């Protein structure tokens, strides 16, 4: 079973915001909510880099750990989703998420958050796949259609990669080897573990050697 993951190649991202536009258009994301955004690191300093940021669907998601009503769940593909019918809008997930993924509607009574919204990896929600109820709450379910997230497909420079984690890591590793730089992957270690996507597997200790 594939384990879906995101990675953004900062050496290729040109801050065009095509991924942001694709996400909003595909899912009809309401005004004031940004499931994906592009941020610039070290803005104005030589060597600045831009990256596309959204929910990383972490292997050990902190949002799931802090939610008091357990509205989060993980699919067989490793995608972290949530049930808006259970969500109470407490905002704990927004404080726990290291990527600022949880979003809340900007419209509404002052002090009232409303139901949380975030990137679904284009995997919909708990309603029936492809149903109108699913689309209205979570957007289009592209994974059920055998497609990858719209943001990655629309990336003009292929900086944003999405799909099976092993394949994504192999693609990025080959890029690093070919260009000889840029092995650092922002967010990969936080979301999926300590090893970077571009780094080789740790060598196994020799027989008889002390660990």
């Amino acid at each position: 079973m594939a384990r879906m993951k995101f990675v953004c190649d900062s050496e290729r991202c040109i801050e065009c915001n095509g991924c942001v536009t694709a996400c909003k258009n595909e899912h009809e994301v309401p005004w004031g909510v940004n499931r994906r955004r592009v941020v610039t690191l070290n803005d104005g300093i030589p060597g600045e880099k831009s990256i596309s940021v959204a929910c990383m669907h972490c292997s050990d998601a902190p949002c799931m750990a802090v939610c008091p009503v357990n509205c989060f769940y993980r699919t067989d593909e490793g995608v972290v989703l949530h049930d808006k019918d259970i969500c109470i809008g407490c905002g704990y997930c927004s404080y726990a998420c290291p990527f600022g993924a949880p979003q809340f509607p900007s419209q509404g009574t002052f002090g009232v958050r409303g139901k949380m919204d975030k990137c679904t990896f284009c995997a919909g929600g708990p309603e029936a796949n492809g149903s109108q109820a699913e689309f209205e709450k979570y957007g289009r379910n592209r994974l059920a259609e055998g497609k990858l997230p719209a943001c990655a497909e629309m990336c003009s420079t292929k900086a944003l990669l999405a799909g099976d984690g092993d394949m994504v890591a192999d693609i990025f590793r080959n890029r690093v080897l070919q260009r000889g730089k840029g092995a650092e992957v922002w967010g990969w270690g936080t979301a999926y573990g300590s090893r970077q996507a571009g780094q080789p597997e740790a060598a196994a200790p020799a027989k008889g050697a002390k660990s």
Side-chain angles (χ1 to χ4, degrees), residues 25-207:
N25 181 68
E26 188 78 359
H27 305 296
E28 297 183 7
V29 179
W31 180 261
V33 172
N34 291 299
R35 292 183 177 181
R36 179 168 289 282
R37 65 193 187 280
V38 177
V39 300
T40 301
L41 305 178
N42 299 321
D43 192 9
I45 301 175
E48 70 176 35
K49 298 181 183 298
S50 296
I51 52 173
S52 180
V53 183
C55 174
M56 294 289 282
H57 304 276
C58 302
S59 298
D60 185 15
C63 56
M64 298 182 70
V66 301
C67 181
V69 294
N70 295 320
C71 77
F72 290 93
Y73 63 99
R74 181 179 284 108
T75 68
D76 293 337
E77 293 85 9
V79 180
V80 177
L81 300 177
H82 72 293
D83 190 333
K84 288 192 176 184
D85 291 335
I86 298 177
C87 175
I88 59 175
C90 66
Y92 285 4
C93 55
S94 66
Y95 293 111
C97 178
F99 305 105
Q103 301 284 297
F104 293 90
S106 61
Q107 299 177 352
T109 306
F110 177 75
V112 178
R113 293 179 185 275
K115 301 291 185 179
M116 189 273 283
D117 189 272
K118 75 173 188 68
C119 161
T120 64
F121 209 93
C122 287
E127 278 77 8
N129 291 344
S131 66
Q132 184 61 28
E134 181 185 51
F135 180 79
E136 290 177 354
K137 293 180 182 179
Y138 309 99
R140 185 177 171 190
N141 190 337
R142 291 174 58 91
L143 287 194
E145 300 172 7
K147 301 176 182 179
L148 291 175
C151 55
E153 287 200 352
M154 290 300 292
C155 181
S156 59
T157 61
K158 300 304 177 186
L160 183 60
L161 302 174
D164 176 68
D166 292 334
M167 296 182 65
V168 167
D170 286 341
I171 292 172
F172 187 81
R173 187 178 299 111
N174 289 333
R175 289 182 182 180
V176 172
L177 291 175
Q178 290 178 8
R179 66 193 179 206
K181 65 174 183 176
E184 302 80 14
V185 187
W186 186 89
W188 183 278
T190 302
Y192 310 129
S194 59
R195 189 173 64 87
Q196 296 279 357
Q199 294 177 350
E201 296 283 357
K207 293 184 177 180

